[in-house]
Amino acid sequence: MDSFDTTHKRKMISWPVLALMDFVTVIGFDDIIYNFKNQGLATISEWIIMLALYVVPYEMMVGQLGSTFSDTTGGLTSWIRHTSGDKMGYFMAWAGWVCALPYLVDVANSTVVSFGWLFAGNNSYEDKMNNWTFALLTAVVFIIFIFFQHRFANSLQILSVIGGGAMFIITVLYIIMTFAYLGKGGHIETQPFNWRSIFPTFDTKFFTSLGLFIFAMDGAEFVAPYVTEMKNGARDFPKAMIMLAVMTGFLTVFGSFALGVFFNAHHLPDDLKMNGSYYAFEAMGKDFGLGKFFLYLFIVTQALYMIAQLAMLVDGMSREFLSDTAKKYLPKGLTKKDKNGLPIHGYWLTALLCSFIMFSSATLPNINSIFNQLLNLNGIIDPFTTSFIFWAFIKIREDQKKYPSSYVYIKNRRKALVMGWWCFLLTLVAAFGSIFQVDAPTGSAEYYQTIFLNVFESFVLLGLGLILPLIARWQRNHENAE
């Protein structure tokens, strides 16, 4: 049960609630779809490999870092600042915030898509909506969310519990119905469906899509800023990470298996990444003679989940960037908080930059191209930020006496460091490999335009991170001159 902090009169977060808050940032049905589109049935074994060698260690390392720095409010920013200094802390805050912006746009896009399906009942919304309308609606989603979050202080926890819980339940339902379908003699669309077909091929395609696997499964660190809002964060934060790892493992492996039953992995729709989740539940409804019942059940769940994800990411990112970053690097306006303690100007800057990304990408040929470009952009830049987690873990294990923790992942220091370096290097390899993960045909005009957008959008976003300290310095000099 959640309890109340009688000193600050605010609701304390229990570890199951924190796990659900984190779940909305880590894994969803769409994440399973994205990698199934890239790898087909082989994604089943690849999830298992990644879970064992990457995801579980990653989430347990986050657990130890959260326990070690349970009295800080900046999450990963605080971890880097305390282990590597103020300047590195700022660069981490800047990189983490900027690198998550394309994902925020992707989530807002998915929110628009979910409402498109809700009102049309199919994918016909694509024909009725041009690129600029799609971009405008995405921007409107941000504005509505910020207004809602600003007015209702406890909306984050409520949305996360409802959205995360609903998505977990409906994905489990999909898996259960898949086995029920097979039990009544249902036809498996992917043939052959055997051990050989799910065994991974470690080729170029595997390594270029590895970044999307990491992108699909990371995000556990976004709830770290809330460890100070737990009754006993040092003890309970690792429990949330364990619960998260179990949920992630179950859904990715069995969810991929279920997709192989209802989709032919060798002939997948071009728009599977954008509309695949809806196709999956629509097909299930037809196979069970229930029409569009499962489809609309998923549409409502997806809309709630995406709104919760938007709330969790914008709030968590803004806190991480602004809560424990050395103030000398930030303009004063960005650190302002509203009556609910929310960094409202950080929210608005986030919305502004996300709108820039969305309208820049709207120059691509169609909505599906926009969606895929933003998704693949995440697979490139997101792992770069994730690598900072492993760097922080390496630093605290190098000097264990300086960074005591009530929870320790891998008691043996040398083995812990080996695991930390393994995850750190694998993440960087995945980031560089994902540069070549592009859905457009190689050599086409769209292929080169996508590469240009990746470079252009990254240049503008990264450049802002260099400008903010200059603005802060100008403000200090101006005040001193007065």
Side-chain angles (χ1 to χ4, degrees), residues 217-273:
M217 294 181 289
D218 69 7
E221 69 279 5
F222 280 120
V223 296
Y226 306 99
V227 69
T228 57
E229 297 183 28
M230 303 179 76
K231 192 171 184 179
N232 191 333
R235 181 195 66 196
D236 291 340
F237 187 83
K239 293 180 182 178
M241 294 299 101
I242 293 172
M243 176 177 170
L244 178 65
V246 172
M247 294 170 71
T248 301
F250 177 82
L251 292 185
T252 52
V253 174
F254 288 99
S256 299
F257 170 84
L259 289 176
V261 172
F262 288 100
F263 287 96
N264 182 349
H266 306 296
H267 298 284
L268 295 169
D270 290 336
D271 64 342
L272 189 75
K273 290 182 179 179

Side-chain angles (χ1 to χ4, degrees), residues 10 54 81 93 109 111 145 157 171 174 184 197-198 206 208 211 221 244 308 329 370 374 380 424 429 437 469:
R10 65 183 180 185
Y54 187 87
R81 185 182 181 188
N109 284 344
T111 304
F145 157 72
Q157 291 187 44
T171 307
Y174 188 82
K184 69 184 186 72
S197 62
I198 69 173
F206 170 81
T208 57
E221 69 279 5
L244 178 65
Y329 296 111
I370 296 171
L374 290 171
I380 299 168
F424 177 75
V429 169
Q437 175 61 42

Side-chain angles (χ1 to χ4, degrees), residues 337-357:
K337 296 184 179 181
D338 65 10
K339 63 181 181 180
N340 297 319
L342 302 176
I344 188 63
H345 287 176
Y347 280 14
W348 286 116
L349 183 59
T350 299
L352 178 64
L353 289 175
C354 286
S355 296
F356 155 74
I357 297 171

Side-chain angles (χ1 to χ4, degrees), residues 356-419:
F356 155 74
I357 297 171
M358 186 64 225
F359 283 103
S360 297
S361 298
T363 57
L364 286 165
N366 52 60
I367 293 175
N368 189 50
S369 299
I370 296 171
F371 192 94
N372 288 340
Q373 184 261 330
L374 290 171
L375 176 63
N376 290 332
L377 180 62
N378 283 294
I380 299 168
I381 63 177
D382 185 80
F384 280 114
T385 305
T386 302
S387 67
F388 279 92
I389 296 171
F390 307 118
W391 177 257
F393 178 78
I394 290 168
K395 299 299 287 185
I396 66 170
R397 295 311 296 267
E398 284 180 341
D399 194 352
Q400 295 182 152
K401 292 182 179 179
K402 184 179 178 181
Y403 303 105
S405 172
S406 61
Y407 169 75
V408 176
Y409 171 63
I410 304 180
K411 302 291 184 182
N412 183 282
R413 176 177 172 275
R414 181 173 296 177
K415 292 180 180 178
L417 286 172
V418 169
M419 185 58 72

